[in-house]
Amino acid sequence: MDNFFTLLLILALIAIWYFIRKKPNKKYKNVSIIVAIISFFIVGLTNQSNSDNKASSKSIKTEKTSSKNSKQSSDKKRESSSKKKSSNKQKESSSKKKPSNKQKESSSKNKNLDEVKLGMTKDEVIKKFGKPSYQTSRNLLYGKKNIYLVDGKVTGGDYDALQKQVDKKHAKKKKEAKKDRIKNDKKKYLAALYALPEQTDYVIQDAQYSEQTGVTFVVSDDALSLTPAELKSAVHKIWNIGQNLSNKYSPLPGDMKSTYITVEDSSGNDLAVTSMWGSFKYKAN
């Protein structure tokens, strides 16, 4: 409302100026002066009432805030006193309720579940670590730790200590299996090596293996009647037979010299050997 009379006051002042300067008119000028005076008084009264209202509202807000703060402080005091009382009651009740010897024993046993060993029987576990919270013929549950059973014996679990034992056992089995396989391959390799003379129609007159010198092939005397080029080619083929046989049964035990091959005649003269670089080296020139 005060905005309307303020605008009316401004328009009236403009009208006064207009009917005096631009288009003189005594009647309209007087009307404009009366409107301006009335608007001036109304705007003044409105501003005064607004300021009074604002002051009263501020005082009301201040009173409300102070009362609210005092109420909150009193509530906090009550709450703190009630907390103290409840904590004192809890302390008293906890001091009265001491754990029994059986409870202590059970908790201490459960803490030592890392001592469970693979192969222990179900009865041995229960005897040593106490009664589980849940049990079947296939597992024992202590809290969150699960122990697996097969035929009444511990075979694993879902926690680190038992899982490490399982991993170690598997690694040991894998290592032993590899060792057995290599031994087996060695036997098969030697059997195949010793069968070469018959398989080559005794072009290889003899085939031997020694831990010191490696593989030795003895060439039949008939091969010595070949031309030098033919003899070299024949000896190279025999050397390759030995290399291929070694690769076929690889990996062999690390101490085996299956790739160190000597080809010689019946008199023991070297025709070819494996060089220090592992390649064919002809020596019959």
Side-chain angles (χ1 to χ4, degrees), residues 215 217 231-240 243 259-264 269-285:
V215 177
F217 292 131
L231 179 61
K232 183 178 180 180
S233 176
V235 169
H236 198 176
K237 285 180 182 178
I238 292 169
W239 184 87
N240 281 334
Q243 291 290 337
T259 57
Y260 190 82
I261 299 167
T262 301
V263 182
E264 61 183 32
N269 300 312
D270 289 348
L271 300 177
V273 295
T274 302
S275 71
M276 63 183 297
W277 309 111
S279 59
F280 174 75
K281 184 178 180 180
Y282 191 61
K283 296 185 72 175
N285 291 333

Side-chain angles (χ1 to χ4, degrees), residues 3-4 16 18 20 25 69 80 160 181 205 213 223 233 269:
N3 291 335
F4 171 77
I16 292 168
Y18 180 82
I20 292 174
N25 190 317
N69 290 336
S80 62
D160 288 344
R181 188 180 69 251
Q205 191 173 333
T213 58
S233 176
N269 300 312

Side-chain angles (χ1 to χ4, degrees), residues 6 14 78 128 194 216:
T6 301
I14 293 170
R78 288 173 187 170
K128 187 170 183 179
Y194 299 145
T216 302

Side-chain angles (χ1 to χ4, degrees), residues 93-109:
S93 62
S94 64
S95 62
K96 288 178 181 178
K97 293 180 181 180
K98 291 182 180 180
S100 64
N101 292 331
K102 286 185 177 180
Q103 288 175 335
K104 285 182 180 179
E105 187 180 353
S106 175
S107 62
S108 65
K109 282 181 176 179

